[in-house]
Amino acid sequence: MWVRIRTVIAAGLVIAVVAVVGIWLMARQVGDGLRLPLAGRSCVVRADGQVRLDADQMANAATIAAIGTQRKMPERAVVVALATAYQESGLRNVADGDRDSVGLFQQRPSQGWGTVQQIGDPRYATRKFYAALNRVRGWEQLRVTEAAQRVQRSAYPEAYEKWADESQVLTRALLGAATGAVACTVGSPPVMRGEAAAAALNRGLNLDWGLPEAVAQADLPGLTVPAADQRNGWRYAYWLVSHASNHGVKRVRFDGLEWTAQGGTWNRVADAQSTDRRVLAEVFSDA
């Protein structure tokens, strides 16, 4: 009998230890800044690997990649920036954090990054990160986590490395190195419609990519974005898909393929010209 009791007690202790370890691991993830969603992921990125994000994360990732390109930073810088934002905020523009940290990169007003309002602007925060990274001598030769740490000066200097692979996949896709690589499903009603949506997209393309005003479509509510080559075309197409949820994008067409908010995937269009170097974006109408 005593043997049986000891066995039951031992089994109970094992279960308790496993539960404690599980709770500790979850707490550690939260403490490390891991704020990725458990459900509602609406975007899939495939480019020599796969990453799943929700709409807000996808839009922030697309902006980080675009601004890096606009500033003529190498692709490696985009990987570092994305890994940093992954770790610091889960690619979310959070309003608070450790001490006075704010935004995508959890930058601190008290450390000279700017005002709370400035840092709360993802574009401002991203530009400040790239500027700081550019001042790090030899950052290109450093590991992702080392380069990020030189900018962030985190208490967990190795934490950024765990996001290096995901950030590489996102960078390759968002900078146009793969065809049909970013696909998002927009399940909720669009926040914007019609002319307001098209105007917001125009402004975003200008701020993120430095593009001049796109051409409005004559027959549909939306815009046409000229692209110098296929890679640039896919960059703009992915940016539009990434921002679809908040900007009322209904359809994007480029290189003989078409993405729709309803379907959430890229499919070949029979009457489309694959040699056409224009990205066509249709927004939801006001009606």
Side-chain angles (χ1 to χ4, degrees), residues 70 123 200-212 214 223 225 236 239-240:
Q70 183 188 164
R123 293 180 173 108
L201 287 171
N202 244 324
R203 182 173 180 272
L205 285 165
N206 177 264
L207 291 172
D208 284 8
W209 288 103
L211 295 179
L223 46 83
V225 186
Y236 306 150
W239 186 94
L240 289 162

Side-chain angles (χ1 to χ4, degrees), residues 53 56-57 60-61 64 82 85-86 89-93 104 170:
L53 299 175
D56 288 338
Q57 292 173 307
N60 288 326
I64 289 171
L82 287 170
Y86 248 128
S89 68
L91 284 173
R92 297 186 183 283
N93 189 32
L104 277 176
L170 285 173

Side-chain angles (χ1 to χ4, degrees), residues 44-106:
V44 179
V45 181
R46 295 184 177 92
D48 294 336
Q50 181 172 298
V51 173
R52 291 181 178 271
L53 299 175
D54 69 18
D56 288 338
Q57 292 173 307
M58 195 72 244
N60 288 326
T63 288
I64 289 171
I67 290 176
T69 303
Q70 183 188 164
R71 295 179 66 91
K72 301 187 185 307
M73 299 293 288
E75 290 188 16
R76 178 74 171 176
V78 177
V79 175
V80 175
L82 287 170
T84 303
Y86 248 128
Q87 171 60 24
E88 295 291 353
S89 68
L91 284 173
R92 297 186 183 283
N93 189 32
V94 294
D96 53 23
D98 180 43
R99 288 172 284 188
D100 59 338
S101 299
V102 179
L104 277 176
F105 298 92
Q106 288 293 278

Side-chain angles (χ1 to χ4, degrees), residues 86-147:
Y86 248 128
Q87 171 60 24
E88 295 291 353
S89 68
L91 284 173
R92 297 186 183 283
N93 189 32
V94 294
D96 53 23
D98 180 43
R99 288 172 284 188
D100 59 338
S101 299
V102 179
L104 277 176
F105 298 92
Q106 288 293 278
Q107 294 153 334
R108 300 178 60 192
S110 63
Q111 300 299 312
W113 287 98
T115 66
V116 171
Q117 184 177 7
Q118 287 174 323
I119 300 171
D121 177 356
R123 293 180 173 108
Y124 173 93
T126 300
R127 289 194 296 268
K128 292 291 285 186
F129 178 85
Y130 282 125
L133 180 64
N134 221 15
R135 291 194 293 270
V136 176
R137 182 175 298 178
W139 69 265
E140 299 93 337
Q141 283 72 52
L142 299 176
R143 292 163 57 225
V144 168
T145 197
E146 292 169 344

